[in-house]
Structure formats: C-alpha cells, structure tokens
Amino acid sequence: QIGIPVVAHLGLTPQTIHQMGGYKVQGRGDAAQKLLDDAKRVQDAGAFSLLLECVPVELAKEVTKSAAIPTIGIGAGKHCDGQVLVTQDIVGMYDRVRPRFVKRYKELGVEIKDAVSNFISEVRDGTYPADEHTFK
C-alpha cells in the first residue's frame, strides 16, 4: 500500500485567517494542549513534517522537542527545525497585510508600482515604444 506524504499545518491556516479576524496567535492557554495532541495525532497518522504557523515560541519549542518528525516554523520562533516565509512577504510585494512575524528584506512592491506607473506614463505620452524598441 502506498501512502501519500503529508505536511500537517498546525496553528493558523491560510484558509481561516479571515474567519478568525486576521493573524492571531494560536495555541494559547487551553488550546496549547490541543495543538500538542494534534501534532502527535498527525505524526502517528503518517505526516512527514509539521508546519507551525503563528504559534507561541515556547509551544513550538515543546512540539519540536516531542515530535519525531521535523517542524517548520512560520511565526513560531527559532526552535523549529526549519523556517519558512512567503516570498511575497520577504520582498515586500504587498502592503495590506503585515504579520508581526514577517521580516521584509526588500520593498519591491514600491519599485514595481513605480515601474508600472512609469510604463503607463510613457505609453500615454508616446515616448514608449521608442525606435530602439521596434523592429525595422
């Protein structure tokens, strides 16, 4: 029998962000034990790794210590076995949503808006396409 490898996503899931009112930390208080139990259950069910998103650092540390499979953190602190961030967040593509755990390494969204604005202006004023952008 062939099994399907699974990454179990624990904590905040992209599908529930709007239902929960935005990026809210998961696994606080009584919910911490549920998250630990869920991690054990999905590991025992055959998951090959656990993705911990928006989870308190100490809880993520506890899950990582108790798990026999790797943990990947996104807003879960430095004790996970690996880290991930969404590329669009890393390069500053969007300004609408800025979760606390995201570190922006560039602000490409501003540069892209400027480039598109310049393109539109040049098309409107007739300077693009110029002779060097056409075939003879």
Side-chain angles (χ1 to χ4, degrees), residues 2-8 46-49:
I2 298 174
I4 299 171
V6 175
V7 174
F48 70 84
S49 66

Side-chain angles (χ1 to χ4, degrees), residues 6 8 10 37-50 69:
V6 175
L10 302 175
D37 294 343
D38 288 348
K40 175 82 170 111
R41 273 196 288 280
V42 296
Q43 173 184 290
D44 292 348
F48 70 84
S49 66
L50 300 167
I69 56 178

Side-chain angles (χ1 to χ4, degrees), residues 27-86:
R28 287 191 170 148
D30 295 338
Q33 188 59 52
K34 181 181 179 335
L35 196 140
L36 281 163
D37 294 343
D38 288 348
K40 175 82 170 111
R41 273 196 288 280
V42 296
Q43 173 184 290
D44 292 348
F48 70 84
S49 66
L50 300 167
L51 179 63
L52 304 175
E53 183 167 357
C54 221
V55 173
V57 65
E58 289 304 316
L59 178 57
K61 183 178 182 180
E62 192 173 343
V63 171
T64 300
K65 283 173 62 176
S66 65
I69 56 178
T71 60
I72 306 299
I74 179 167
K78 63 183 177 182
H79 300 292
C80 294
D81 296 309
Q83 298 293 325
V84 65
L85 282 176
V86 175

